[in-house]
């Protein structure tokens, strides 16, 4: 349907495309990371941001606390009802031999996501650097939408 009137209700109030650089953080101490892959693109339409990314390490050490992916191009909405959750498209992540699903959990007014993991038959939890990311080489890629 074509827009036929240039009224406030019919005008796109904000559109932006760009790049962003995803990084790894820890909720306690940030890891020392040698990145093997680190790129992201985004599209912002109004208050909705769509981010696609790949981030990976060839080495990491010293991280403490929950694994976070940071560097989002915009802070997430301050409204808790707008928190984002999204599945990771692909990963290379050492965590035992059981099946798992990974997701990203947004939070209010911050520029990072917390990593979530669910094991087969288990509940969701936040993986931590010192226990769950010990291989030195971890890769994640995905697409997430969130509100600003």
């Amino acid at each position: 349907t074509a827009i036929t009137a240039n009224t406030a209700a019919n005008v796109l109030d904000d559109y932006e495309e760009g790049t962003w650089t995803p990084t790894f953080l820890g909720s306690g101490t940030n890891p020392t990371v040698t990145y093997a892959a680190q790129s992201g693109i985004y599209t912002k339409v109004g208050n909705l941001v769509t981010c696609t990314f790949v981030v990976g390490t060839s080495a990491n050490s010293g991280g403490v606390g929950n694994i976070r992916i940071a560097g989002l191009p915009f802070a997430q909405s301050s409204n808790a009802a707008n928190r984002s959750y999204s599945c990771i498209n692909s990963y290379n992540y050492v965590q035992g031999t059981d099946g798992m699903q990974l997701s990203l959990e947004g939070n209010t007014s911050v520029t990072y996501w917390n990593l979530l993991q669910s094991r087969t038959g288990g509940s969701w939890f936040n993986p931590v650097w010192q226990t769950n990311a010990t291989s030195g080489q971890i890769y994640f890629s995905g697409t997430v939408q969130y509100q600003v």
Side-chain angles (χ1 to χ4, degrees):
T1 304
I3 297 174
T4 58
N6 190 12
T7 63
N10 293 329
V11 175
L12 182 62
D13 63 351
D14 187 17
Y15 180 87
E16 183 177 334
E17 294 179 338
T19 61
W20 65 288
T21 304
T23 60
F24 284 114
L25 298 180
S27 62
T29 302
N30 293 333
T32 300
V33 175
T34 302
Y35 288 97
Q38 191 179 26
S39 64
I41 58 172
Y42 72 88
T43 302
K44 180 178 182 285
V45 180
N47 70 346
L48 183 65
V49 180
T50 302
C51 290
T52 300
F53 69 95
V54 61
V55 61
T57 70
S58 58
N60 71 76
S61 64
V64 175
N66 299 342
I67 299 171
R68 293 179 171 166
I69 296 176
L72 301 179
F74 303 95
Q76 297 170 77
S77 171
S78 60
N79 183 345
N82 295 338
R83 291 175 65 176
S84 64
Y85 294 89
S86 181
C87 290
I88 300 277
N89 295 340
S90 66
Y91 57 88
N92 174 16
Y93 174 70
V94 176
Q95 177 53 45
T97 58
D98 54 353
M100 67 178 163
Q101 181 177 2
L102 296 176
S103 180
L104 294 172
E105 172 190 31
N107 210 331
T108 57
S109 303
V110 295
T111 57
Y112 62 81
W113 297 303
N114 289 305
L115 188 65
L116 288 175
Q117 177 178 329
S118 177
R119 294 189 186 150
T120 301
S123 60
W124 288 94
F125 69 96
N126 291 104
V128 294
W129 279 105
Q130 57 272 41
T131 303
N132 304 112
T134 58
S135 74
Q137 295 180 343
I138 58 175
Y139 286 83
F140 299 107
S141 68
T143 300
V144 177
Q145 288 187 316
Y146 67 96
Q147 291 185 332
V148 296

